[in-house]
Amino acid sequence: MTPRSAQHGTIRLERRYKAVPARVFAAWAEPKARAKWDAPGRWVIAEQSFDFREGGRERKRFGPRDDPRFVADTLYLDIVPDRRIVFSYSMTSRGTPISVSLTTVEITPDEQQTKLLLTEQVAFLDGNDNAANREEGLASMLDKIGESLAA
């Protein structure tokens, strides 16, 4: 029998963007804008549904170009335009559960910039993922938001 475990972690990432809160929010809310950053590093999105609204559900298959083996199933729990997004998601790799997360994105004006604070509370299942990998992926995605806003 395979040993079962759950490792818990909290990831907090902060970014400041030279854009108004409405533009930062739109990077999450608009399909074309989100497509520019919604996969970590050089990974690709092979399939994605888009239903950005409270109660909306999305499914994304993504990963390396030659092996998009990860699937994220997302449920949006709370959306305050230009200010806050709260969602939960589970992630699998080739059908094997690897994590379950609750993520809060807070968007606040900060002088001539916008501050984004992402907090993710996550349970990593059976040793199939870890906080360092997740933090690296999320940081990459937030950096890509900055690049897309600056373009």
Side-chain angles (χ1 to χ4, degrees), residues 6-151:
Q7 298 296 317
H8 300 272
T10 299
I11 297 166
R12 290 176 53 90
L13 297 169
E14 184 177 306
R15 295 292 186 275
R16 294 187 191 292
Y17 302 119
K18 292 183 180 181
V20 296
R23 283 195 62 221
V24 175
F25 182 83
W28 293 81
E30 296 175 6
K32 287 182 182 178
R34 197 162 85 193
K36 295 177 182 177
W37 63 265
D38 201 18
R42 298 179 185 265
W43 286 7
V44 299
I45 298 170
E47 297 173 32
Q48 184 169 25
S49 64
F50 192 88
D51 188 11
F52 185 82
R53 62 179 175 86
E54 284 185 11
R57 293 183 178 273
E58 297 180 352
R59 184 174 175 92
K60 171 176 67 174
R61 187 168 62 85
F62 65 103
R65 186 171 305 282
D66 60 343
D67 186 17
R69 65 184 173 268
F70 297 100
V71 173
D73 286 302
T74 300
L75 170 63
Y76 290 100
L77 302 165
D78 180 65
I79 297 174
V80 178
D82 304 340
R83 294 293 180 255
R84 181 177 65 229
I85 306 163
V86 181
F87 58 94
S88 64
Y89 70 99
S90 61
M91 194 176 320
T92 60
S93 176
R94 294 189 182 96
T96 300
I98 62 173
S99 66
V100 178
S101 301
L102 175 66
T103 304
T104 303
V105 177
E106 298 170 87
I107 300 167
T108 55
D110 186 25
E111 297 182 15
Q112 300 299 316
Q113 301 181 24
T114 296
K115 176 181 154 185
L116 182 145
L117 175 62
L118 181 146
T119 304
E120 182 159 304
Q121 298 160 298
V122 57
F124 298 104
L125 306 175
D126 303 327
N128 292 313
D129 198 1
N130 61 64
N133 286 345
R134 184 64 53 87
E135 185 168 340
E136 179 182 349
L138 290 169
S140 166
M141 293 163 68
L142 294 183
D143 291 345
K144 288 165 77 174
I145 290 174
E147 292 165 10
S148 72
L149 290 169

